[in-house]
Amino acid sequence: MTQASTLRKLRYRFIPDHVIGEILSKKWIDNAIPFLVLLAVVAVFGSLLPNFFTASNFSTMSRELGEFALICLAMMVVIVVGGIDLSVGSNFALGNFTALALLNLAQWPLWAAVIGAVLVCGAVGLINGLLIGYLRLRAFLTTLVTLIIVRAIVDMLLLKYVQAMSMSFFSDPTWDLIGMGEVLGMPFSFVLLMVVALIGHLLITRTRPGWRAMAVGGSRRSAHNIGLPVRAIVCSAYTISGLLCGLAGVLYAARLSGAGSDTGMGLEIMALTAAIIGGNSLGGGRGSVVKALIGAVIVFTLTNGVLRLGLNSGSGPMVLGLTLLLAVFIDVRWLKNRDKLLNKVYVSPTLMELPQPRSTADGPLALNDRLAEVEIIGLGQVESPEDVILDEQDRLYCGTRHGDIVRFLPPNYTEHEVFAHIGGSPLGMTFDREHNLLVCVGGMGLYKVSPQGAVSKMTDETNRSKLSVVDDSRLRLADDCDIAPDGKVYFSEATVRYEMHDWPVDALESRGNGRIICHDPATGKTNTAVRKLVFPNGVCTAQDGQSMLFAESWACRISRLWISGPKAGQVEVVVDRLPGYPDNINRASDGSYWCAIMGMRSPALDVALRMPGFRKRMSRRIAFDQWLYPNLNIGCVIRFNDQGEVLESLWDQGAKNHPMITSMREHKGWLYLGGITNNRIGRIRLPNADPHWTAWSDYWGKQA
């Protein structure tokens, strides 16, 4: 082996090319640019201003930031649903005046005054929500009018009551704590901001109202078409915005205990700038609390820094305007080019050197036409029956691309019925000892169907890898399963990077994106047993009950995972150098195993697998439907034993009866065939098989 070849192997083994694409695909990458801007702003003003990094300066800034950031959150909430609120500044001034008036003039108790001020501002938000959400007025014009009207009301109230308010003074320890006090060494307003921000983050990212708000902002028409209460959601967003403005006004009143005609003046522009520069999209449907907070810190540092530098009065607005222009430019350009960049770098092929395949000219893998005698079941009545299975009553089950589990009735299998509807793409199946049907569903996880057809979820997530950039906790492509003697369910997840509709792209990468997962129904816990497998597919409990056999399709091999005994946790290769891509594995009546070969290796792809640079260029420069993919048109079925010896093979060279085979089940002397690209199920008589053998009795009959 040459030095260049060795270095090439090391390069593709240790340099994770896919990390760049994974990072770009994450939602939090939107925060990267604002965060870099934040660091730059802090660095610049930290070097220009003396005592910028002192504790006293941070305390003062964080106290004022608590008030301003609440206004930014108010703006973010309406932006998420696709709106805008220009009245936040005047509503903030109204909240400040109301709190002081209720305390100093009306002599309300503190708790009542705080609630009253917040509710008054919430009422302004509710008016905006009713006009924009239910009457469908334009948000920009409506909130502009609200800004003018509320500002006029505040000015008129100030003219009438400002003198009386200045003559009185409200004194209370709690009021002093709100205005100038500290909690755990931090200003009260900042602590309150963190609490509100945490609640807001959980509501937006973890609850149904937050998801619905995002959906409405993404496309109101689509949200309406799927039955979401769009008007109520929009109205609620503006009401929440008003409540947050009222809360900020109370904090401001507690800190300064004064009101003026310039209170909140220009605050709407600052809040809008902060929301946008933080990464919240003006178009709606894309935003977060973190983005709003980052933007708030940037704008707050900019405006305060300009004032402390002693620049002329026009410098602040000019800096703010230029910042807003830059934020909008970045937002538009990033949205336009991010997907283009992601499409170019996400697919990340690696070096894959397959050994020479076993010969199909002679021996047990010799080409033949044994599958030419296949009987066809359900022609045109099912689509994409990836796996097939039979119960003790000889009823035949398969999944379809419509998310149904279809059951064919014996003895002729001419009649069929929808046994259950799961959704997604039902793939590999197995029966437990209670006759429940366990189904791997692409894009959904592992599900259970009772004998009566009731569907329940078993698991749709597993433990996340600690050092992985990929969020691999969610199950993307669970595709085959089997049950160990102790009742634990082992199933394969072919890839953690690609969804059901583009799983063949994983072959172009041939990277270890797959894993074997174990779910324990007794405890409800799910954990990953083996990682970094090359498209693991079929899973079958070995005859010894101490190991699981699984296929790695793109690696063209079958391996064994020891699940108990002295070798527990170890993985060893059983059959390698297969001429095609192995899929589902199931037991045979004589103690051996059947394995479906879903497609045959081609010399062109084998060569391309040793050229990751070529495959990367192909994915960037050629249309998706012209990429080099595995040949999945012609397949076969093989039978092998525990020693890794291939005993026989069944071919359909003309690809007429069963052009693609992804699964097979032996049952009472017959072999039943399924294929994910087929519109039929096949079966063929096995002359030397046990005519009484069934898989369920082989697994559970001995223990019954």
Side-chain angles (χ1 to χ4, degrees):
M1 183 182 298
T2 65
Q3 184 177 3
S5 177
T6 302
L7 292 175
R8 187 161 164 264
K9 288 185 176 182
L10 293 175
R11 173 256 186 276
Y12 281 102
R13 181 176 180 181
F14 294 107
I15 297 181
D17 302 60
H18 67 291
V19 170
I20 297 176
E22 288 296 338
I23 291 176
L24 287 175
S25 68
K26 304 305 178 187
K27 292 183 178 180
W28 52 259
I29 192 62
D30 288 347
N31 299 334
I33 295 177
F35 185 72
L36 293 176
V37 173
L38 172 61
L39 293 179
V41 169
V42 171
V44 169
F45 284 101
S47 62
L48 295 177
L49 296 174
N51 304 321
F52 182 84
F53 294 107
T54 61
S56 59
N57 182 55
F58 283 149
S59 177
T60 302
M61 291 182 64
S62 60
R63 193 179 305 278
E64 298 178 17
L65 176 65
E67 304 160 9
F68 174 64
L70 286 174
I71 303 298
C72 297
L73 291 178
M75 183 67 75
M76 180 274 298
V77 170
V78 296
I79 286 179
V80 162
V81 298
I84 192 172
D85 190 354
L86 299 179
S87 67
V88 292
S90 57
N91 207 9
F92 167 80
L94 178 62
N96 171 66
F97 174 85
T98 304
L100 294 174
L102 293 178
L103 290 172
N104 296 333
L105 302 181
Q107 303 297 316
W108 283 27
L110 178 58
W111 65 269
V114 170
I115 294 176
V118 172
L119 290 180
V120 166
C121 294
V124 175
L126 177 61
I127 293 172
N128 282 333
L130 292 173
L131 294 174
I132 298 169
Y134 285 94
L135 298 184
R136 304 178 69 179
L137 301 182
R138 293 191 177 276
F140 183 89
L141 295 177
T142 302
T143 56
L144 179 62
V145 171
T146 310
L147 178 156
I148 297 171
I149 294 175
V150 174
R151 177 64 65 181
I153 292 174
V154 172
D155 289 342
M156 289 187 293
L157 291 173
L158 283 172
L159 288 174
K160 187 173 182 179
Y161 295 107
V162 68
Q163 185 174 1
M165 288 172 55
S166 63
M167 298 289 291
S168 60
F169 181 77
F170 179 79
S171 179
D172 184 274
T174 305
W175 187 242
D176 295 337
L177 172 65
I178 295 174
M180 299 300 294
E182 294 184 347
V183 177
L184 301 176
M186 296 180 289
F188 178 87
S189 61
F190 186 78
V191 173
L192 181 61
L193 168 65
M194 292 297 99
V195 173
V196 172
L198 178 61
I199 295 173
H201 174 73
L202 294 176
L203 288 175
I204 290 177
T205 62
R206 298 293 188 273
T207 67
R208 187 173 297 173
W211 302 333
R212 289 181 172 182
M214 288 290 187
V216 169
S219 174
R220 291 192 181 183
R221 182 181 295 275
S222 298
H224 173 76
N225 290 340
I226 64 175
L228 294 184
V230 174
R231 296 181 179 182
I233 292 173
V234 172
C235 182
S236 299
Y238 280 93
T239 303
I240 293 172
S241 175
L243 294 172
L244 291 173
C245 290
L247 187 58
V250 170
L251 295 176
Y252 185 82
R255 181 168 62 89
L256 297 181
S257 296
S261 59
D262 61 342
T263 301
M265 192 73 71
L267 195 56
E268 57 280 339
I269 301 300
M270 294 175 61
L272 180 62
T273 304
I276 302 305
I277 201 173
N280 298 286
S281 176
L282 272 174
R286 182 170 63 92
S288 70
V289 169
V290 175
K291 291 180 173 66
L293 292 180
I294 291 176
V297 176
I298 293 174
V299 172
F300 184 78
T301 305
L302 277 172
T303 53
N304 279 267
V306 169
L307 289 175
R308 291 181 60 183
L309 286 173
L311 301 178
N312 60 59
S313 59
S315 300
M318 182 181 70
V319 170
L320 204 60
L322 292 175
T323 303
L324 178 59
L325 181 63
L326 176 64
V328 173
F329 174 79
I330 292 175
D331 181 67
V332 172
R333 299 301 298 177
W334 175 249
L335 280 178
K336 183 176 181 180
N337 295 304
R338 176 185 173 183
D339 289 340
K340 292 181 180 179
L341 178 61
L342 184 60
N343 288 336
K344 289 184 177 181
V345 302
Y346 190 80
V347 178
S348 180
T350 191
L351 182 65
M352 182 74 171
E353 294 182 318
L354 290 176
Q356 286 295 318
R358 303 185 186 204
S359 173
T360 58
D362 53 21
L365 285 172
L367 297 175
N368 56 68
D369 281 315
R370 292 180 61 185
L371 293 182
E373 302 173 1
V374 166
E375 298 179 13
I376 303 302
I377 298 173
L379 180 62
Q381 298 173 340
V382 291
E383 295 183 53
S384 302
E386 195 272 346
D387 194 13
V388 292
I389 194 169
L390 295 98
D391 61 17
E392 285 296 278
Q393 287 75 43
D394 301 334
R395 294 175 295 192
L396 173 64
Y397 300 78
C398 72
T400 74
R401 71 177 184 88
H402 303 292
D404 296 326
I405 302 295
V406 175
R407 179 165 64 185
F408 287 85
L409 305 179
N412 299 321
Y413 301 110
T414 55
E415 299 181 19
H416 70 281
E417 60 186 3
V418 175
F419 172 60
H421 177 77
I422 301 179
S425 299
L427 302 174
M429 301 180 286
T430 190
F431 278 110
D432 66 13
R433 58 166 47 107
E434 285 80 27
H435 299 279
N436 297 303
L437 181 64
L438 276 55
V439 186
C440 285
V441 184
M444 294 174 60
L446 181 67
Y447 281 71
K448 179 172 67 175
V449 185
S450 72
Q452 294 75 35
V455 178
S456 60
K457 180 179 71 176
M458 298 186 70
T459 182
D460 61 357
E461 61 182 2
T462 183
N463 57 306
R464 179 172 179 173
S465 305
K466 294 181 179 180
L467 301 178
S468 175
V469 177
V470 182
D471 182 4
D472 56 2
S473 59
R474 179 177 70 88
L475 300 180
R476 290 175 182 258
L477 190 51
D479 58 2
D480 194 27
C481 58
D482 209 353
I483 306 175
D486 60 2
K488 293 180 180 179
V489 183
Y490 287 82
F491 61 97
S492 57
E493 185 179 24
T495 174
V496 299
R497 300 196 72 214
Y498 296 97
E499 305 290 346
M500 180 66 196
H501 60 277
D502 54 7
W503 61 267
V505 182
D506 192 85
L508 189 65
E509 283 197 352
S510 290
R511 183 181 295 276
N513 296 328
R515 54 190 175 175
I516 300 296
I517 299 172
C518 175
H519 173 73
D520 188 353
T523 62
K525 294 183 178 180
T526 306
N527 67 281
T528 302
V530 187
R531 304 181 189 275
K532 297 183 178 180
L533 301 176
V534 186
F535 208 82
N537 215 331
V539 175
C540 178
T541 304
Q543 303 284 357
D544 57 19
Q546 294 187 323
S547 61
M548 304 292 298
L549 299 171
F550 64 89
E552 289 182 87
S553 295
W554 312 140
C556 302
R557 64 183 176 225
I558 299 170
S559 301
R560 182 192 306 271
L561 166 65
W562 291 95
I563 59 176
S564 62
K567 294 184 178 181
Q570 297 183 25
V571 176
E572 59 186 34
V573 176
V574 178
V575 184
D576 63 355
R577 299 175 51 235
L578 287 171
Y581 308 107
D583 205 305
N584 287 5
I585 305 172
N586 289 299
R587 291 181 181 179
S589 58
D590 63 351
S592 59
Y593 308 91
W594 295 104
C595 178
I597 305 296
M598 61 177 170
M600 305 312 297
R601 289 170 56 176
S602 62
L605 184 58
D606 282 2
V607 171
L609 289 177
R610 299 194 293 270
M611 304 167 61
F614 163 76
R615 301 192 329 267
K616 182 178 293 186
R617 291 191 297 273
M618 177 178 64
S619 67
R620 293 181 179 182
R621 301 177 183 178
I622 300 177
F624 180 84
D625 58 352
Q626 296 179 357
W627 290 358
L628 190 63
Y629 288 119
N631 176 18
L632 303 180
N633 294 323
I634 298 178
C636 72
V637 176
I638 66 170
R639 188 167 60 87
F640 66 97
N641 59 21
D642 281 300
Q643 291 72 44
E645 301 171 329
V646 178
L647 304 177
E648 66 174 317
S649 60
L650 292 77
W651 294 78
D652 180 13
Q653 294 189 64
K656 296 179 180 179
N657 283 344
H658 229 74
M660 180 188 184
I661 303 172
T662 54
S663 67
M664 71 282 103
R665 300 275 180 171
E666 182 178 338
H667 183 84
K668 293 186 177 181
W670 291 86
L671 189 67
Y672 294 80
L673 307 173
I676 195 170
T677 62
N678 296 339
N679 64 346
R680 72 200 81 176
I681 296 171
R683 72 170 182 171
I684 184 172
R685 174 72 73 176
L686 299 174
N688 299 320
D690 183 350
H692 305 290
W693 184 90
T694 67
W696 191 92
S697 62
D698 188 59
Y699 275 79
W700 314 116
K702 303 170 186 177
Q703 307 173 27

